[in-house]
């Protein structure tokens, strides 16, 4: 049997564009090839409440009819209407222009809110063989039916997870060996809003060995003769490169699919903005990223120099706009209210909001979007100014702890200094008052992040954290800061999702 696997970057709710990509593949395909496309490949995903839109089902159906005219064999994902207003996430099997099977998703996932529970994997006869096809999440139910097939085709829209250890491969390898069967897995690639889909579609033999695999974060096709597959070794991406490629892909698609050409970013000379701007340049190109330096009287010479060096290393256009006049005018305006009080976060936050105002004004004027530079550690404990440095169209670091940001920075600099080494090596500071350091307010990031990872990512309780050896005072301090800043996290810039605990997409706590 000959198959052609397409790992595409679909655009949600753009059935015509997606169908054109599918038709292009079918037009080039031989009649004896089974073409396999991904879950919801006609309409894209995630659909959220758009799954309630009746016109979507009409358009999907019309596009499906257009594909039938190619008279080719293929498996394609779509939405389907059933009786009594049932809505299904479906896979359709077409053999030379004739529909021979329909699989509807049984075990619905996080993006399937408005779909009806379906029947799971379907079995069809194709090219003299028995073939099961459908959704990855329905495989376990199918195994329990103990049906004999020659091949299983599974499709899914699996999100990128920075901590994933090829769990899909491990799971399918077990079932391939158990059932003595070849398995094809097709996953989509690309960014949709905050979500990143990593691809990595593959073909597996009966021994659970991967024989062909499409790369992570890249669209493409692979042609396979299933009777002649052999196990191969594939070099995995390192942790830092996976995150970097995911972030670049997510940013590129966020801007392109929203028809935004340029990004504007505040450059402070610190590690976060220096790393975020590298992501931006890699995603959009140096001509489409504008850096803005906004020093105040509290800014150190090295921070200004580091910010300039960051812009110069990347060869991006940049502006220097001091905020001192805006800050002093704000203080003068607020003088009747502030008079007789000691300076505190009110004065500090005026500076951060002045910077946000400048970056947003430039973005509005030139049609650019503000790239946020906050990280997950800061968000977790509320170390950021709402409507200031927490603002932006999209955050590329918002689901990365500070220690991960440092780790990626060093990886970026492995061949060439793109990020000023001083930005990496110096003590982090918001520079909203003289001689300020983050450690004046927070535990050192190495210490803070260990507590945050164990509490947020691993789900350890307060008592379990203390039993693990953390000082009780540290645990109480971190958990208190985390609790009281949930309201702030609800209003931050949306973050590209790299984990199951991303604050703006997955992990939420009661505000009160």
């Amino acid at each position: 049997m000959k198959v052609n696997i397409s790992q595409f970057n679909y655009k949600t709710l753009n059935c015509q564009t997606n169908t054109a990509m599918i038709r292009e593949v079918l037009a080039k395909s031989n009649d004896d090839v089974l073409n396999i496309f991904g879950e919801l490949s006609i309409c894209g995903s995630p659909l959220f409440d758009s799954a309630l839109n009746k016109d979507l089902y009409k358009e999907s159906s019309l596009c499906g009819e257009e594909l039938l005219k190619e008279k080719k064999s293929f498996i394609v994902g779509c939405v389907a209407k059933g009786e009594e207003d049932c809505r299904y996430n479906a896979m359709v099997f077409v053999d030379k222009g004739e529909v021979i099977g329909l699989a509807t998703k049984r075990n619905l996932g996080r993006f399937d809110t408005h779909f009806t529970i379906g029947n799971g994997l379907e079995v069809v006869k194709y090219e003299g063989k028995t073939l099961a096809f459908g959704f990855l999440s329905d495989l376990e139910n199918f195994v329990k039916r103990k049906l004999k097939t020659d091949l299983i085709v599974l499709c899914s829209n699996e999100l990128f997870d920075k901590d994933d250890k090829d769990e899909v491969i491990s799971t399918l390898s077990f079932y391939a060996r158990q059932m003595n069967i070849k398995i094809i897995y097709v996953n989509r690639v690309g960014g949709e809003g905050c979500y990143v889909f990593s691809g990595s579609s593959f073909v597996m033999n009966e021994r659970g060995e991967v024989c062909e695999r499409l790369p992570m974060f890249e669209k493409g096709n692979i042609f396979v003769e299933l009777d002649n597959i052999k196990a191969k070794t594939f070099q995995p991406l390192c942790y830092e490169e996976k995150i970097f490629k995911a972030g670049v892909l997510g940013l590129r698609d966020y801007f392109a699919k929203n028809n935004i050409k340029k990004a504007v970013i505040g450059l402070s000379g610190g590690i976060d903005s220096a790393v975020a701007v590298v992501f931006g340049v890699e995603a959009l190109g140096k001509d489409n990223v504008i850096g803005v330096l906004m020093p105040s009287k509290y800014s150190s010479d090295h921070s200004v120099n580091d910010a300039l060096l960051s812009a110069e290393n990347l060869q991006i256009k940049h502006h220097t706009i001091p905020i001192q006049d805006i800050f002093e005018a704000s203080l003068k305006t607020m003088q009747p209210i502030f008079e007789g009080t000691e300076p505190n976060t009110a004065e500090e936050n005026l500076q951060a909001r002045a910077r946000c105002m400048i970056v947003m004004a430039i973005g509005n004027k030139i049609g650019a979007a503000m790239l946020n530079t906050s990280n997950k550690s800061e968000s977790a404990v509320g170390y950021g100014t709402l409507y200031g440095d927490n603002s932006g169209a999209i955050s590329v670091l918002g689901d990365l702890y500070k220690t991960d940001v440092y780790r990626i920075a060093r990886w970026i600099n492995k061949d060439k200094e793109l990020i000023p080494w001083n930005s990496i090596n110096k003590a982090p500071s918001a520079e909203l008052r003289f001689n300020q350091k983050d450690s004046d307010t927070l535990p050192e990031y190495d210490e803070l992040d260990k507590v945050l990872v164990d509490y947020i990512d691993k789900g350890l309780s307060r008592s379990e954290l203390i039993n693990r050896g953390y000082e009780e005072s540290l645990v109480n301090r971190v958990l208190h800061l985390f609790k009281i800043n949930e309201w702030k996290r609800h209003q931050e810039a949306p973050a590209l999702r790299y984990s199951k605990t991303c604050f703006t997409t997955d992990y939420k706590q009661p505000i009160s």
Side-chain angles (χ1 to χ4, degrees), residues 450-472 474-476 478-480 482 507 509:
K450 289 177 183 176
V451 177
L452 292 175
V453 168
D454 281 348
Y455 180 67
I456 298 169
D457 296 357
K458 298 181 181 178
L460 298 187
S461 66
R462 175 183 173 279
S463 59
E464 287 173 324
L465 291 169
I466 294 171
N467 290 337
R468 180 159 286 203
Y470 295 113
E471 291 184 8
E472 185 173 355
L474 172 65
V475 172
N476 290 340
V478 173
L479 267 56
H480 172 70
F482 182 78
Y507 192 94
Q509 298 285 315

Side-chain angles (χ1 to χ4, degrees), residues 76-309:
V76 70
C78 62
V79 293
K81 289 291 289 290
E83 296 179 357
E84 298 180 358
D85 205 32
C86 290
R87 305 176 185 86
Y88 296 105
N89 185 348
M91 301 295 303
V92 179
F93 197 122
V94 175
D95 185 10
K96 297 179 178 59
E98 297 294 329
V99 175
I100 63 171
L102 176 72
T104 52
K105 196 171 188 178
R106 176 184 177 88
N107 292 302
L108 303 177
R110 60 180 298 162
F111 297 138
D112 298 317
T113 308
H114 299 295
F115 289 125
T116 306
I117 294 173
N119 295 323
L121 269 63
E122 287 291 316
V123 177
V124 297
K125 289 287 187 180
Y126 175 76
E127 297 284 318
K129 296 183 181 296
T130 304
L131 187 154
F133 74 101
F135 299 89
L136 174 65
S137 60
D138 293 333
L139 177 60
E140 190 172 344
N141 293 96
F142 178 78
V143 172
K144 293 177 181 177
R145 293 162 60 187
K146 296 182 179 179
L147 298 176
K148 181 63 179 175
T149 59
D150 299 302
L151 172 69
I152 296 180
V153 176
L154 300 169
C155 296
S156 182
N157 286 334
E158 291 293 305
L159 293 169
F160 169 69
D161 188 327
K162 64 184 178 66
D163 298 314
D164 176 51
K165 305 298 183 185
D166 273 340
E167 293 172 10
V168 172
I169 287 180
S170 299
T171 300
L172 295 187
S173 179
F174 169 79
Y175 284 119
R177 295 192 305 271
Q178 184 187 58
M179 303 172 70
N180 191 34
I181 194 171
K182 296 183 178 74
I183 296 178
I184 295 175
Y185 168 73
V186 182
N187 188 31
R188 71 160 292 187
V189 71
E192 283 293 341
C194 296
Y195 300 101
V196 181
F197 301 89
S198 57
S200 295
S201 306
F202 58 80
V203 177
M204 181 175 283
N205 65 20
E206 298 92 334
R207 293 181 296 278
E209 301 165 326
V210 176
C211 301
E212 298 291 348
R213 189 176 188 181
L214 283 160
M216 296 183 78
F217 311 117
E218 297 177 24
K219 62 183 180 180
N221 297 71
I222 187 167
F223 176 81
V224 182
E225 292 195 36
L226 292 177
D227 295 334
N228 298 312
I229 57 175
K230 296 180 180 179
K232 294 181 181 179
T233 301
F234 297 87
Q235 185 64 37
L237 301 178
C238 70
Y239 179 79
E240 297 86 353
E241 187 173 7
K242 282 197 300 183
I243 294 174
F244 186 72
K245 286 196 169 187
V248 168
L249 177 60
L251 276 187
R252 182 179 294 138
D253 277 1
Y254 185 93
F255 277 75
K257 292 177 180 180
N258 287 292
N259 199 29
I260 306 170
K261 306 298 183 185
K262 295 180 180 292
V264 58
I265 181 172
L267 298 178
S268 67
I271 183 72
D272 296 316
S273 64
V275 172
V277 72
V278 174
F279 275 90
V281 169
E282 185 70 18
L284 306 176
K286 65 182 182 180
D287 294 334
N288 294 314
V289 179
I290 298 94
V292 189
L293 290 70
M294 295 165 286
S296 74
K297 66 179 181 181
Y298 302 118
S299 300
S300 60
D301 290 340
H302 65 74
S303 290
V304 175
N305 293 335
D306 291 340
L308 282 170
L309 183 57

Side-chain angles (χ1 to χ4, degrees), residues 8 14-27 41-42 63 67:
F8 277 170
N14 196 328
C15 295
Q16 296 295 333
T17 297
N18 298 334
T19 301
M21 288 193 293
I22 295 169
R23 289 192 73 173
E24 185 177 355
V25 172
L26 294 179
S41 42
I42 288 180
C63 288
L67 294 176

